[in-house]
């Protein structure tokens, strides 16, 4: 099945074997109908539905380099600089449409990173990982999978190597090597969209040394494999999703769409060798981590910009509802929000346009510029959100429940005192306030703010890469040459 619709995607999730999911003390039998989980599924479903919308087809779909078929871009190995830029454009559109994290990008980024790394391992060591992985990508494209790119291990005591941990399970590792495959144990934390995926593509989380070889494992595991358990992450205000009244929808702010993060446990999961793509090749851990991180840091120059567009729209709308849209300081703040947001987009496009073809044949972003992109993403969304809260006024955190609007007696009071500009319905003003709460404090804030900080690596991870790639020696030479300072050897 190539190019599923959103509905077909949901049906494909329902065909999986029952998953073991813990959410707020309960085991969830059917994730696709649970109100909290369903909102996150709706966000991914958009990645399927937009591929069928005529105005988005060109961005959302692409010709596969492996099969020649038209596939969803989320399963694609990038074959040009234009592909890299179209990826950023696609993520912006999706961020605009759902106002939160649509979860599917991690797998796309993992596919491209594992593809180029397995090629380089084979070239150096004579293994056949790339062919195996190419077969895997072909299947992913034909089945139009959502793949959870699994990189972040819980890590335990950060001062210790994986092999030095008191409990080795805080890193995914191989516990047994059999003739037909390996057995893995451990966990991956903060897994975006894990419950909504068809597959987990597991990668090592950091550079490994010889003593850590059992932790150097890249492999794929079906989401419904035996031994996989999900602990669903709570997000602020998530209980509002359980109130299925119309008023509950208003109080949700963004009732249709949500994100998802999980702690995923792998307890003695068997992986056949055709799904093993790295097995102890420690010297290539750096390459897979850096290339995956670079692709995902590029992604944030698209998705966060799309959500940023929603914040800017919310700022202008609430200013209109409050009767202050024409005030010059409001205009100026909205201009600043736009400037910051478009700067992030410029970074996403720039690291794509400055990318290059890898030896494996897919395209990789410029790693320095991708890290600069993400470093800006750790800052600018906070300022954009601050400006939105400034423009909104305090009502977005003090507003009475929407249920007060369904009782005629209390509604009269709310409408009298929470009225805004003439001709604006109080209910609409409340709806917009709730959306602002959601975007800057609630569930979507996890995807917009906290994920901007820590997703694809925390700020320090980018600073390490920026420092490593900044070529200070060359810049010192430029300065010294201009100052006509002779180098030691010339003197
Ligand atoms: Fe995609 Fe952005 Fe969510 Fe990462 S944070 S999965 S790039 S939408
Ligand atoms: Fe992310």
């Amino acid at each position: 099945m190539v190019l599923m619709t959103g509905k077909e995607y949901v049906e494909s999730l329902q065909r999986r074997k029952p998953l073991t999911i813990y959410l707020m003390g309960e085991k969830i039998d059917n994730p696709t109908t649970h109100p909290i989980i369903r909102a996150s599924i709706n966000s991914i479903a958009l990645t399927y539905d937009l591929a069928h919308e005529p105005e988005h087809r060109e961005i959302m779909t692409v010709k596969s380099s492996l099969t020649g078929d038209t596939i969803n871009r989320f399963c694609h190995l990038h074959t040009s600089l234009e592909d890299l830029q179209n990826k950023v454009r696609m993520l912006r559109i999706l961020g605009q449409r759902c106002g939160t994290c649509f979860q599917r990008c991690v797998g796309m980024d993992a596919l491209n990173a594992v593809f180029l790394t397995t090629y380089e391992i084979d070239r150096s060591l004579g293994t056949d990982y790339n062919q195996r992985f190419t077969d895997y990508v072909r299947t992913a494209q034909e089945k139009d999978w959502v793949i959870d790119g699994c990189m972040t291990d819980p890590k335990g005591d950060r001062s210790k190597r994986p092999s030095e941990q008191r409990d080795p399970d805080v890193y995914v590792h191989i516990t047994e090597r059999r003739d037909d495959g390996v057995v893995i144990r451990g966990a991956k934390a903060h897994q975006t969209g894990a419950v909504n995926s068809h597959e987990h593509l597991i990668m090592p989380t950091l550079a490994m040394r010889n003593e850590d070889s059992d932790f150097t494992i890249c492999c794929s595991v079906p989401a419904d494999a035996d031994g996989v358990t999900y602990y669903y992450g709570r997000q602020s205000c998530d209980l509002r999703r359980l109130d299925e009244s119309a008023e509950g929808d208003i109080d949700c702010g963004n009732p249709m769409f949500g994100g998802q993060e999980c702690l995923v446990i792998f307890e003695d999961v068997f992986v056949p060798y055709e799904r093993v793509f790295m097995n102890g090749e420690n010297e290539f851990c750096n390459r897979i981590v850096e290339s995956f991180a670079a692709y995902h840091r590029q992604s944030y120059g698209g998705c966060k910009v799309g959500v940023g567009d929603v914040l800017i729209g919310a700022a202008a709308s609430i200013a209109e509802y409050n009767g202050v849209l024409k005030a010059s300081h409001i205009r100026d703040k909205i201009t600043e929000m736009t400037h910051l947001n478009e700067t992030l987009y410029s970074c996403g496009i720039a690291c794509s346009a400055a990318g290059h073809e890898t030896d494996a044949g897919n395209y990789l972003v410029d790693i320095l510029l991708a890290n600069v992109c993400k470093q800006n993403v750790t800052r600018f969304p906070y300022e954009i959100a601050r400006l939105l809260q400034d423009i909104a006024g305090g009502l977005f955190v003090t507003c009475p429940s929407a249920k007060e609007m369904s009782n005629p007696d209390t509604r009269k009071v709310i409408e009298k005192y929470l009225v805004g500009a003439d001709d604006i319905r109080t209910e609409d003003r409340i709806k917009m306030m709730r959306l602002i709460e959601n975007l800057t404090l609630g569930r979507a804030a996890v995807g917009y703010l906290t994920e901007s900080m820590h997703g694809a690596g925390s700020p320090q991870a980018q600073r390490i890469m920026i420092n490593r790639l900044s070529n200070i020696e060359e810049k010192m030479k430029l300065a010294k040459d201009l100052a006509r300072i002779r180098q030691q050897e010339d003197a």
Side-chain angles (χ1 to χ4, degrees), residues 3 8 45-46 75 127 156 164 179 291 342 364-365 381 455 485:
L3 284 186
E8 288 166 335
L46 267 186
C75 294
T127 44
E164 295 168 346
D179 290 345
S291 57
E342 297 301 336
L364 174 62
V365 294
I485 296 170

Side-chain angles (χ1 to χ4, degrees), residues 74 91 100-106 109 192 261 296 299-300 303-304 447 451:
F74 279 97
L91 303 193
T100 185
C101 168
F102 39 90
Q103 308 146 55
R104 202 176 172 188
C105 336
V106 201
D109 295 338
T192 302
E261 314 291 334
H296 206 48
S299 293
Y300 280 49
C303 79
K304 301 300 175 226
E451 199 163 33

Side-chain angles (χ1 to χ4, degrees), residues 203-267:
M203 298 167 283
T205 196
L206 42 74
M208 300 289 176
R209 298 186 189 148
N210 284 345
E211 60 271 27
D212 305 319
S213 289
D214 286 344
F215 299 83
T216 298
I217 174 71
C218 175
C219 63
S220 69
V221 169
D224 58 1
D226 292 342
V228 181
T229 307
Y230 302 85
Y231 288 80
Y232 207 94
R234 285 210 68 176
Q235 300 186 351
S236 61
C237 310
D238 52 6
L239 290 182
R240 292 189 199 180
R241 293 233 186 265
L242 302 180
D243 177 355
E244 288 181 336
S245 65
E247 293 82 18
D249 271 2
I250 293 175
D251 283 350
C252 270
N254 181 355
M256 276 292 288
F257 300 109
Q260 176 190 105
E261 314 291 334
C262 299
L263 174 66
V264 186
I265 312 296
F266 301 92
E267 213 169 357

